[in-house]
Short mmCIF file of all heavy atoms in Angstrom, two decimals:
data_model
loop_
_atom_site.label_atom_id
_atom_site.label_comp_id
_atom_site.label_asym_id
_atom_site.label_seq_id
_atom_site.Cartn_x
_atom_site.Cartn_y
_atom_site.Cartn_z
N ASN A 1356 -45.22 16.24 14.61
CA ASN A 1356 -45.61 16.74 13.32
C ASN A 1356 -46.11 15.67 12.39
O ASN A 1356 -47.08 15.95 11.62
CB ASN A 1356 -44.35 17.45 12.70
CG ASN A 1356 -44.24 18.87 13.13
OD1 ASN A 1356 -45.17 19.42 13.86
ND2 ASN A 1356 -43.15 19.61 12.72
N GLY A 1357 -45.38 14.58 12.39
CA GLY A 1357 -45.85 13.44 11.47
C GLY A 1357 -47.25 13.00 11.83
O GLY A 1357 -48.03 12.80 10.91
N LYS A 1359 -49.61 14.86 13.38
CA LYS A 1359 -50.42 16.04 13.09
C LYS A 1359 -50.88 16.18 11.58
O LYS A 1359 -51.83 16.41 11.17
CB LYS A 1359 -49.78 17.41 13.45
CG LYS A 1359 -50.04 17.71 14.92
CD LYS A 1359 -49.63 19.22 15.12
CE LYS A 1359 -48.36 19.67 14.72
NZ LYS A 1359 -47.82 20.87 15.33
N TYR A 1360 -49.78 15.98 10.71
CA TYR A 1360 -50.00 16.18 9.35
C TYR A 1360 -50.25 14.92 8.37
O TYR A 1360 -50.01 14.96 7.23
CB TYR A 1360 -48.84 17.07 8.72
CG TYR A 1360 -48.64 18.29 9.49
CD1 TYR A 1360 -47.65 18.61 10.35
CD2 TYR A 1360 -49.64 19.35 9.23
CE1 TYR A 1360 -47.66 19.82 10.97
CE2 TYR A 1360 -49.56 20.57 9.92
CZ TYR A 1360 -48.56 20.91 10.73
OH TYR A 1360 -48.51 22.04 11.40
N ASP A 1383 -43.28 10.11 7.30
CA ASP A 1383 -44.80 9.75 7.56
C ASP A 1383 -45.28 9.67 6.21
O ASP A 1383 -44.71 9.83 5.11
CB ASP A 1383 -45.46 11.01 8.25
CG ASP A 1383 -45.27 12.36 7.47
OD1 ASP A 1383 -45.73 12.44 6.40
OD2 ASP A 1383 -44.70 13.29 8.20
N GLY A 1387 -47.58 15.72 2.78
CA GLY A 1387 -46.37 16.14 2.24
C GLY A 1387 -46.26 17.67 2.29
O GLY A 1387 -47.15 18.35 2.58
N ILE A 1388 -45.18 18.20 1.71
CA ILE A 1388 -44.95 19.65 1.77
C ILE A 1388 -44.63 20.14 0.31
O ILE A 1388 -43.80 19.37 -0.42
CB ILE A 1388 -43.82 20.03 2.55
CG1 ILE A 1388 -44.09 19.63 4.07
CG2 ILE A 1388 -43.35 21.52 2.54
CD1 ILE A 1388 -42.83 19.63 4.94
N MET A 1396 -38.59 25.52 5.34
CA MET A 1396 -38.80 24.77 6.51
C MET A 1396 -37.74 25.06 7.49
O MET A 1396 -36.56 25.11 7.28
CB MET A 1396 -38.84 23.34 6.18
CG MET A 1396 -39.96 22.83 5.43
SD MET A 1396 -41.53 23.01 6.29
CE MET A 1396 -42.32 24.23 5.36
N TYR A 1401 -42.98 29.86 9.75
CA TYR A 1401 -43.24 29.64 8.48
C TYR A 1401 -44.10 28.26 8.38
O TYR A 1401 -43.79 27.28 8.89
CB TYR A 1401 -41.97 29.36 7.57
CG TYR A 1401 -42.33 29.24 6.14
CD1 TYR A 1401 -42.60 30.43 5.37
CD2 TYR A 1401 -42.56 27.99 5.50
CE1 TYR A 1401 -43.00 30.47 4.05
CE2 TYR A 1401 -42.97 27.98 4.18
CZ TYR A 1401 -43.15 29.14 3.46
OH TYR A 1401 -43.65 29.06 2.14
N ARG A 1402 -45.29 28.40 7.84
CA ARG A 1402 -46.18 27.34 7.74
C ARG A 1402 -46.73 27.22 6.36
O ARG A 1402 -46.87 28.17 5.61
CB ARG A 1402 -47.40 27.48 8.68
CG ARG A 1402 -47.08 27.51 10.09
CD ARG A 1402 -47.86 28.51 10.78
NE ARG A 1402 -48.11 28.25 12.14
CZ ARG A 1402 -48.39 29.16 13.01
NH1 ARG A 1402 -48.37 30.51 12.57
NH2 ARG A 1402 -48.65 28.93 14.20
N VAL A 1403 -47.01 26.00 5.94
CA VAL A 1403 -47.54 25.71 4.58
C VAL A 1403 -48.96 26.18 4.60
O VAL A 1403 -49.45 26.91 3.70
CB VAL A 1403 -47.45 24.25 4.19
CG1 VAL A 1403 -48.03 24.06 2.80
CG2 VAL A 1403 -46.02 23.72 4.11
N ASP A 1404 -49.71 25.82 5.69
CA ASP A 1404 -51.12 26.16 5.79
C ASP A 1404 -51.27 26.79 7.19
O ASP A 1404 -51.58 25.94 8.20
CB ASP A 1404 -51.95 24.97 5.49
CG ASP A 1404 -53.39 25.21 5.62
OD1 ASP A 1404 -53.84 26.38 6.07
OD2 ASP A 1404 -54.30 24.40 5.19
N SER A 1408 -52.35 24.81 10.70
CA SER A 1408 -51.38 24.52 11.71
C SER A 1408 -51.99 25.06 13.13
O SER A 1408 -51.91 24.32 14.15
CB SER A 1408 -50.15 25.37 11.47
OG SER A 1408 -49.48 25.68 12.60
N GLY A 1413 -50.57 24.04 16.51
CA GLY A 1413 -49.25 24.44 16.22
C GLY A 1413 -48.79 25.79 16.52
O GLY A 1413 -49.65 26.69 16.47
N THR A 1414 -47.58 26.05 16.82
CA THR A 1414 -47.05 27.40 17.05
C THR A 1414 -46.22 27.91 15.84
O THR A 1414 -45.93 29.16 15.76
CB THR A 1414 -46.16 27.47 18.26
OG1 THR A 1414 -45.09 26.60 17.98
CG2 THR A 1414 -46.95 27.16 19.54
N GLY A 1415 -45.98 27.06 14.99
CA GLY A 1415 -45.09 27.41 13.76
C GLY A 1415 -43.61 27.57 14.18
O GLY A 1415 -42.90 28.04 13.53
N LEU A 1416 -43.30 27.05 15.42
CA LEU A 1416 -41.85 27.21 15.99
C LEU A 1416 -41.32 25.90 16.11
O LEU A 1416 -39.96 25.84 16.39
CB LEU A 1416 -41.83 27.96 17.22
CG LEU A 1416 -42.29 29.51 17.13
CD1 LEU A 1416 -42.44 30.07 18.50
CD2 LEU A 1416 -41.27 30.19 16.29
N GLY A 1417 -41.93 24.78 15.95
CA GLY A 1417 -41.45 23.37 16.27
C GLY A 1417 -40.15 23.08 15.35
O GLY A 1417 -39.06 22.67 16.01
N LEU A 1418 -40.15 23.23 14.16
CA LEU A 1418 -39.16 22.89 13.24
C LEU A 1418 -37.86 23.94 13.51
O LEU A 1418 -36.79 23.42 13.40
CB LEU A 1418 -39.46 23.03 11.81
CG LEU A 1418 -40.26 21.73 11.23
CD1 LEU A 1418 -40.51 21.89 9.72
CD2 LEU A 1418 -39.65 20.41 11.58
N ALA A 1419 -38.24 25.17 13.80
CA ALA A 1419 -37.22 26.07 14.09
C ALA A 1419 -36.29 25.64 15.41
O ALA A 1419 -35.14 25.67 15.42
CB ALA A 1419 -37.66 27.49 14.32
N THR A 1442 -43.62 12.99 4.10
CA THR A 1442 -42.49 13.79 4.47
C THR A 1442 -41.41 12.98 5.21
O THR A 1442 -41.79 12.17 5.97
CB THR A 1442 -43.02 14.98 5.31
OG1 THR A 1442 -43.98 15.75 4.54
CG2 THR A 1442 -41.95 15.96 5.65
P1 LIG B 1293 -46.26 23.82 13.51
O1 LIG B 1293 -46.50 24.16 14.94
O2 LIG B 1293 -47.08 24.67 12.56
O3 LIG B 1293 -46.45 22.42 13.23
P2 LIG B 1293 -43.53 23.46 12.78
O4 LIG B 1293 -42.38 24.36 12.89
O5 LIG B 1293 -43.34 22.14 13.51
O6 LIG B 1293 -44.79 24.34 13.20
O7 LIG B 1293 -43.77 23.22 11.24
C1 LIG B 1293 -43.78 24.31 10.38
C2 LIG B 1293 -44.78 23.94 9.17
O8 LIG B 1293 -44.15 22.93 8.39
C3 LIG B 1293 -46.02 23.31 9.66
O9 LIG B 1293 -47.07 24.31 9.72
C4 LIG B 1293 -46.43 22.50 8.36
O10 LIG B 1293 -46.93 23.25 7.30
C5 LIG B 1293 -45.07 21.94 7.85
N1 LIG B 1293 -44.73 20.58 8.32
C6 LIG B 1293 -44.02 20.28 9.30
N2 LIG B 1293 -43.84 18.98 9.52
C7 LIG B 1293 -44.57 18.48 8.51
C8 LIG B 1293 -44.96 17.11 8.14
N3 LIG B 1293 -44.56 15.98 8.72
N4 LIG B 1293 -45.85 16.94 7.10
C9 LIG B 1293 -46.36 17.97 6.46
N5 LIG B 1293 -46.07 19.29 6.81
C10 LIG B 1293 -45.26 19.54 7.77
#
Side-chain angles (χ1 to χ4, degrees):
N1356 270 354
K1359 270 196 311 195
Y1360 299 106
D1383 62 57
I1388 299 166
M1396 288 295 113
Y1401 191 81
R1402 294 140 154 154
V1403 177
D1404 182 347
S1408 153
T1414 59
L1416 294 169
L1418 284 183
T1442 301

